[in-house]
Amino acid sequence: MALRDADVIDGKALAAGLRAEMALAVERLKRDHAITPGLAVVLVGTDPASEVYVRSKGKQTVEAGMNSFEFRLAEQTTEAELLALIGRLNADPEVHGILIQLPLPPHLNSTLAINAIDPSKDVDGFHISNVGMVGTGQDAIVPCTPRGCMMMLRRIYPDFRGKTALVIGHSNIVGKPMARLLLNADCTVIVAHKSSTNIPELARMADIVVVAAGVPGLVKGDWIKPGATVIDVGINRVPAGDGKTRLVGDVDFASVSKVAGAITPVPGGVGPMTIACLLANTLTACCHAHNLSESALSSAS
């Protein structure tokens, strides 16, 4: 067992630092090139959680000095109407990033909508072209949550070689791209999912455990190798008594934090990094659109 509680990885602080870097880069982009990155978010319907996410994304986009474009469409919007809007955004030079807020209403095909986005403006990193390029280790837009997780992990492991990682969950949004990024970094990667029968045994082998299973408190302390790093991507709302609810992750924080070397909390861990990485992806897309060096913006005085 670890001699002390795990270090808690402060996602809020890391995200604030990244957003500050983005704001400085945007300021220099405006000053030196008269260019303002623009992010368009498309929301179809009135899903309450999606409404919250869209408001938060819009607020942080503006705070970073970027242009925020919101398109709120009725629940009954047709596929043709949605695709037409995506086509207009693809052609708009003021829009450098396009995000389709998921989930879409059941009558709309999410895969069709995502793959209609110009890959160079796909700041979620979900377009099949970006997925394939990330999978083969090429330069591409990386999905926001896995990108944020990798940024957190690199603060602990500058070199992943010789490390073993377990990714619990194999969704297209988190699990699969997370595994690919770790593989690309020369980490030994194991992927488990709901059909896996020996997850605790696999977890005890891992130096890094990334959990994105959507099951509250799934991972227990006795699953974890002492000193391992645990990244909890889960966001679950559970009863808290008196009719109230609270947010918890996929990791039993109380027991795992007694064994792990480092752990992300929920809330305040991976979540803030996801939106910060969305802004970073938008800046990257903008720089690519104008053949500019993003690193030059970061190092400018």
Side-chain angles (χ1 to χ4, degrees), residues 31-298:
R31 180 192 67 198
D32 298 338
H33 303 280
I35 297 169
T36 302
L39 172 62
V41 177
V42 179
L43 173 65
V44 184
T46 56
D47 178 76
S50 293
E51 292 271 8
V52 172
Y53 292 143
V54 167
R55 282 197 299 271
S56 180
K57 289 169 183 174
K59 180 174 181 289
Q60 293 190 35
T61 300
V62 171
E63 288 175 349
M66 300 181 181
N67 288 329
S68 175
F69 308 104
E70 291 186 7
F71 297 86
R72 296 172 178 264
L73 307 181
E75 184 89 18
Q76 297 77 21
T77 295
T78 67
E79 201 163 76
E81 290 169 335
L82 177 58
L83 294 177
L85 172 60
I86 294 170
R88 292 195 297 274
L89 297 177
N90 284 339
D92 188 340
E94 299 299 313
V95 173
H96 303 98
I98 303 170
L99 182 151
I100 307 295
Q101 183 64 46
L102 301 177
L104 289 174
H107 69 283
L108 296 175
N109 186 323
S110 299
T111 300
L112 182 65
I114 289 167
N115 286 329
I117 297 171
D118 181 335
S120 67
K121 295 188 178 188
D122 166 41
V123 287
D124 256 340
F126 295 163
H127 190 285
I128 188 62
S129 295
N130 287 319
V131 171
M133 291 176 72
V134 169
T136 52
Q138 300 179 64
D139 185 26
I141 297 177
V142 176
C144 302
T145 298
R147 180 177 179 177
C149 292
M150 289 296 290
M151 292 177 70
M152 290 175 160
L153 286 170
R154 285 197 181 278
R155 295 174 66 88
I156 300 169
Y157 304 104
D159 188 347
F160 286 98
R161 288 174 295 181
K163 303 300 179 184
T164 298
L166 171 65
V167 178
I168 303 176
H170 65 163
S171 72
N172 292 329
I173 294 174
V174 180
K176 289 176 183 175
M178 190 74 227
R180 293 184 188 109
L181 291 173
L182 288 164
L183 278 172
N184 293 345
D186 294 326
C187 191
T188 300
V189 181
I190 305 166
V191 179
H193 45 78
K194 63 183 180 182
S195 297
S196 303
T197 58
N198 59 339
I199 300 179
E201 178 184 342
L202 296 174
R204 293 184 192 109
M205 300 167 52
D207 304 293
I208 298 164
V209 179
V210 181
V211 193
V215 180
L218 172 68
V219 176
K220 310 300 182 186
D222 60 1
W223 293 22
I224 299 300
K225 177 181 178 179
T229 298
V230 180
I231 305 293
D232 189 354
V233 183
I235 301 178
N236 310 285
R237 192 167 289 281
V238 300
D242 297 327
K244 298 179 180 179
T245 61
R246 62 188 179 95
L247 290 178
V248 300
D250 291 351
V251 172
D252 178 24
F253 187 90
S255 64
V256 171
S257 63
K258 301 295 183 184
V259 184
I263 187 172
T264 59
V266 176
V270 174
M273 287 295 290
T274 295
I275 298 183
C277 287
L278 173 65
L279 301 180
N281 281 352
T282 302
L283 178 64
T284 297
C286 179
C287 288
H288 286 175
H290 294 277
N291 296 313
L292 296 172
S293 168
E294 189 175 351
S295 60
L297 289 175
S298 300

